[in-house]
Amino acid sequence: MYLADDKRYEKLPYVRCGKSGLKLPLVSLGLWHNFGSNGVYDLMQQMCYTAFDAGITHFDLANNYGPGIGAAESNFGRILRDGLGIYRDELIISTKAGYRMWPGPYGEWGSRKYLAASLDQSLKRMGLDYVDLFYHHRPDPETPLEETMTALDQIVRSGKALYVGISNYNQEQTRQAAKLLKSLGTPLLINQRRYSLLDRKIETDGTKQLAAANGVGIIAFSPLAQGLLSDRYLAGVPEDSRIRTDGRFLKETALTPETLQRIRSLNDLARARGQTLAQMALAWIVRDGEVTSVLVGVSRPEQILDNTAIAQSPPFTAEEIEKIERIVS
Ligand SMILES: NC(=O)c1ccc[n+]([C@@H]2O[C@H](COP(=O)([O-])OP(=O)(O)OC[C@H]3O[C@@H](n4cnc5c(N)ncnc54)[C@H](OP(=O)(O)O)[C@@H]3O)[C@@H](O)[C@H]2O)c1
């Protein structure tokens, strides 16, 4: 029987999410890859246990995470049933709806019909009565935002989610969603956006600044650029890397000579700081306190421990920040 480490709450900081009452661990675990129908169950279970033992209370899923849509939720449901679930009140479990799940006009996007049905399916797959956080996964160009936000508000009132978030919404869409949700009495908790040393769109489109100014949290997904911002690809493409084992979203063409040069220079700087490149890339995201949590993916338990060690990361000097700017711009 799994018993969690007694010292799990001494390892990571817990950061208040915007102006809400909820704190999230500085590092969260995402189940987008390596938890699908092609994964190894024992390894998935070990990764979740290692994460929780390391202080990670927040597990991020979506209805479509697989391969095999719904597979990651089903596997996570099994992990909960097999042991982790005894800690349900210590867990923040997130899921999302927005991408295509079933055929026909009600199987994707942002209608009330789709969101309500999808969340019911997610709860069934995970064997839960409620999720802690339910996201609209991507903006819907056709459904009125009022309908999508009202659906989120009603989901909270129904008790099926405690908090709501949005994902992949830009600055203006975030502003409008936050305003609508505020008027409905269910504040927007968080915006989940891609953010890394190789993708700084949330800085340039103003989403990061807007969230900070409006008391909305930001959680950064793909903070390691799917593994590029690590030592994985410094000496070629390993057979057990995401590029080789999955390749649906991260392709070898991403490893251009320019990107490789940047990764190598960043790696030299990380080494000079006495840490791994993955640690420096994560620490850089949370450097100014405006990002609530970095949402990492992993393929093995050791990567979790490497990533959570950012709790001990040295602060960046002005000179290091300048060097990083020169490398990535
Ligand atoms: N809202 C959205 O639209 C959206 C989109 C994408 C992702 N997400 C969320 O964000 C989560 C994370 O995304 P991601 O998986 O792309 O994140 P990521 O952290 O950028 O990449 C994860 C990959 O990096 C490598 N890695 C992780 N830690 C490492 C370490 N310490 N040393 C060396 N390599 C390391 C592993 O690659 P190998 O497998 O090669 O070992 C791992 O699979 C997802 O699981 C999901 O929850 C949300």
Side-chain angles (χ1 to χ4, degrees):
M1 188 180 118
Y2 168 65
L3 280 182
D5 187 341
D6 286 344
K7 299 205 182 341
R8 61 191 176 280
Y9 291 114
E10 296 167 21
K11 299 176 182 177
L12 271 184
Y14 297 88
V15 183
R16 186 164 302 284
C17 191
K19 289 205 184 99
S20 76
L22 188 71
K23 290 181 178 178
L24 292 180
L26 190 65
V27 179
S28 299
L29 180 65
L31 278 67
W32 181 35
H33 281 69
N34 307 313
F35 285 81
S37 53
N38 58 349
V40 177
Y41 177 73
D42 288 352
L43 179 60
M44 297 175 203
Q45 190 182 44
Q46 203 46 55
M47 290 193 284
C48 288
Y49 289 168
T50 301
F52 191 57
D53 282 342
I56 294 180
T57 49
H58 178 210
F59 295 83
D60 182 84
L61 295 103
N63 55 0
N64 62 333
Y65 288 177
I69 52 174
E73 287 182 331
S74 299
N75 282 319
F76 188 65
R78 186 172 161 201
I79 292 166
L80 289 171
R81 278 196 306 282
D82 285 353
L84 190 63
I86 59 169
Y87 297 100
R88 176 67 185 97
D89 291 339
E90 297 181 40
L91 301 174
I92 299 299
I93 300 171
S94 301
T95 197
K96 321 184 187 78
Y99 286 96
R100 185 172 169 83
M101 285 298 287
W102 60 86
Y106 322 117
E108 63 183 324
W109 294 110
S111 68
R112 187 198 321 272
K113 168 79 175 164
Y114 165 66
L115 293 177
S118 177
L119 178 56
D120 281 347
Q121 292 183 13
S122 293
L123 291 174
K124 217 173 269 171
R125 282 191 287 268
M126 290 190 280
L128 295 173
D129 301 325
Y130 71 96
V131 289
D132 298 276
L133 172 53
F134 184 58
Y135 285 96
H136 187 221
H137 207 157
R138 59 171 169 170
D140 178 345
E142 289 183 5
T143 301
L145 194 60
E146 287 79 0
E147 175 170 333
T148 305
M149 294 305 123
T150 305
L152 293 184
D153 169 60
Q154 287 171 351
I155 278 168
V156 169
R157 288 176 199 282
S158 74
K160 291 179 185 177
L162 301 183
Y163 298 91
V164 291
I166 52 179
S167 186
N168 300 306
Y169 276 51
N170 67 23
Q171 198 244 34
E172 181 53 23
Q173 291 159 337
T174 305
R175 199 185 59 71
Q176 288 179 22
K179 193 170 162 207
L180 281 166
L181 283 169
K182 190 174 178 192
S183 73
L184 293 163
T186 295
L188 174 62
L189 182 81
I190 198 162
N191 190 355
Q192 185 174 131
R193 286 281 305 264
R194 182 183 295 122
Y195 185 34
S196 75
L197 277 164
L198 298 180
D199 185 343
R200 300 174 67 175
K201 185 103 186 283
I202 70 165
E203 293 175 6
T204 51
D205 82 355
T207 308
K208 190 179 164 196
Q209 297 84 334
L210 177 92
N214 284 276
V216 174
I218 289 267
I219 183 162
F221 76 70
S222 297
L224 300 176
Q226 297 201 56
L228 296 181
L229 287 164
S230 74
D231 54 12
R232 292 294 265 152
Y233 300 102
L234 289 174
V237 180
E239 283 310 307
D240 63 353
S241 66
R242 183 176 292 191
I243 286 182
R244 287 278 185 268
T245 59
D246 193 306
R248 281 173 302 159
F249 300 95
L250 182 62
K251 304 201 186 304
E252 197 163 351
T253 48
L255 282 172
T256 61
E258 295 75 30
T259 300
L260 261 174
Q261 186 48 48
R262 282 185 181 146
I263 295 168
R264 292 206 173 102
S265 303
L266 289 168
N267 188 58
D268 291 344
L269 185 53
R271 293 214 159 240
R273 280 169 49 82
Q275 59 188 174
T276 64
L277 173 52
Q279 287 165 351
M280 185 179 84
L282 298 176
W284 178 86
I285 290 177
V286 297
R287 69 200 178 282
D288 54 15
E290 288 187 357
V291 170
T292 317
S293 183
V294 286
L295 176 50
V296 297
V298 293
S299 61
R300 62 207 65 192
E302 302 77 48
Q303 291 176 344
I304 295 172
L305 301 179
D306 190 40
N307 297 338
T308 52
I310 64 160
Q312 286 83 45
S313 180
F316 288 95
T317 64
E319 197 193 336
E320 286 168 342
I321 290 287
E322 217 173 277
K323 270 190 190 159
I324 288 174
E325 289 294 332
R326 274 205 303 272
I327 295 169
V328 298
S329 54

